[in-house]
Amino acid sequence: DTAVSQTPKYLVTQMGNDKSIKCEQNLGHDTMYWYKQDSKKFLKIMFSYNNKELIINETVPNRFSPKSPDKAHLNLHINSLELGDSAVYFCASSPNPAGSYNSPLHFGNGTRLTVT
Amino acid sequence: GNSVTQMEGPVTLSEEAFLTINCTYTATGYPSLFWYVQYPGEGLQLLLKATKADDKGSNKGFEATYRKETTSFHLEKGSVQVSDSAVYFCALSARTGANSKLTFGEGITLSVRP
């Protein structure tokens, strides 16, 4: 069983469209994250949710809106897509908000978003 | 703020060569330090970690020692294999109240040729 699963794996869309990426974890973790990896492999945190509540919100355009219907799911909706949004987006989870301090994050396999 | 700096890549080695990937950090307080590895087409996975000064993390033949005096956490392996080809990320985690945030270095691509 995949611990952290993301869909879709690939997403190709045109500028101006709205798209969503879904993430689910079956580890029973309380905390979930979205990371963006650019073309140079640099990883940056975007959001973190703990038990459906937003706890980390980095400087991200408000076109990006995370939604957590329950603690096992964290979806990412992106409005009015731009060329610069092209990247690989990773979902991750940890047992608690301090999880990355004491225990590793578990990452999904990523969603490669290409905006044309 | 917290930051992690990795040596510039990419790195290409022959099988059985010795590997060192440098990592230095800047942080307030006492962070935990990690190395994550990303194999092609996959997400990141933890390779090893160290939570206090002078701790040595080790896994799959890789080692790294938390050096507070030089603020470093260099990754080493005595004899690399083709299967070690991947992107390697150094990271630190510092606690902010009840939360913590993982800050990654830029990643370095390692290619091992037979």
Side-chain angles (χ1 to χ4, degrees):
Chain A
D1 275 352
T2 304
V4 181
S5 58
Q6 298 178 226
T7 55
K9 187 174 173 67
Y10 299 98
L11 184 53
V12 181
T13 188
Q14 292 184 329
M15 284 173 53
N17 284 349
D18 303 338
K19 291 293 178 185
S20 292
I21 307 171
K22 296 186 176 181
C23 179
E24 175 182 5
Q25 54 95 4
N26 62 6
L27 297 166
H29 289 168
D30 282 347
T31 311
M32 296 184 73
Y33 309 80
W34 278 109
Y35 281 83
K36 179 180 180 181
Q37 185 176 46
D38 64 22
S39 59
K40 296 183 179 179
K41 304 289 187 184
F42 186 70
L43 267 168
K44 188 167 167 51
I45 190 169
M46 301 173 70
F47 302 103
S48 174
Y49 270 71
N50 182 58
N51 212 357
K52 302 191 296 176
E53 289 193 20
L54 182 67
I55 56 172
I56 293 176
N57 184 356
E58 293 293 290
T59 307
V60 177
N62 58 15
R63 298 181 295 105
F64 290 78
S65 53
K67 286 188 171 52
S68 183
D70 55 62
K71 71 175 191 177
H73 295 84
L74 179 61
N75 303 323
L76 183 65
H77 188 76
I78 315 170
N79 288 327
S80 302
L81 278 155
E82 300 177 357
L83 292 176
D85 297 332
S86 295
V88 181
Y89 292 84
F90 285 98
C91 179
S93 72
S94 64
N96 51 60
S100 61
Y101 191 85
N102 295 315
S103 61
L105 266 61
H106 294 255
F107 283 82
N109 285 342
T111 296
R112 182 175 294 278
L113 171 65
T114 303
V115 183
T116 60
Chain B
N2 300 328
S3 66
V4 177
T5 302
Q6 293 183 229
M7 62 184 273
E8 287 193 22
V11 173
T12 301
L13 295 173
S14 297
E15 205 164 24
E16 300 184 3
F18 183 84
L19 169 72
T20 300
I21 301 178
N22 289 343
C23 171
T24 58
Y25 68 90
T26 302
T28 53
Y30 301 96
S32 285
L33 301 174
F34 305 83
W35 276 99
Y36 279 78
V37 58
Q38 183 180 22
Y39 297 105
E42 298 183 10
L44 281 72
Q45 54 187 274
L46 180 71
L47 180 60
L48 52 85
K49 70 175 184 179
T51 57
K52 61 182 188 296
D54 300 326
D55 267 4
K56 178 187 281 188
S58 60
N59 185 26
K60 299 181 181 180
F62 290 89
E63 291 184 341
T65 301
Y66 189 143
R67 301 280 188 208
K68 193 169 186 297
E69 63 278 10
T70 54
T71 61
S72 64
F73 193 54
H74 304 322
L75 182 69
E76 295 182 338
K77 186 174 185 182
S79 176
V80 294
Q81 306 300 311
V82 172
S83 57
D84 293 327
S85 298
V87 182
Y88 292 82
F89 294 88
C90 186
L92 72 81
S93 180
R95 198 185 285 265
T96 306
N99 299 328
S100 62
K101 191 167 73 171
L102 201 59
T103 300
F104 287 94
E106 293 151 356
I108 185 169
T109 299
L110 170 66
S111 298
V112 180
R113 54 175 183 250

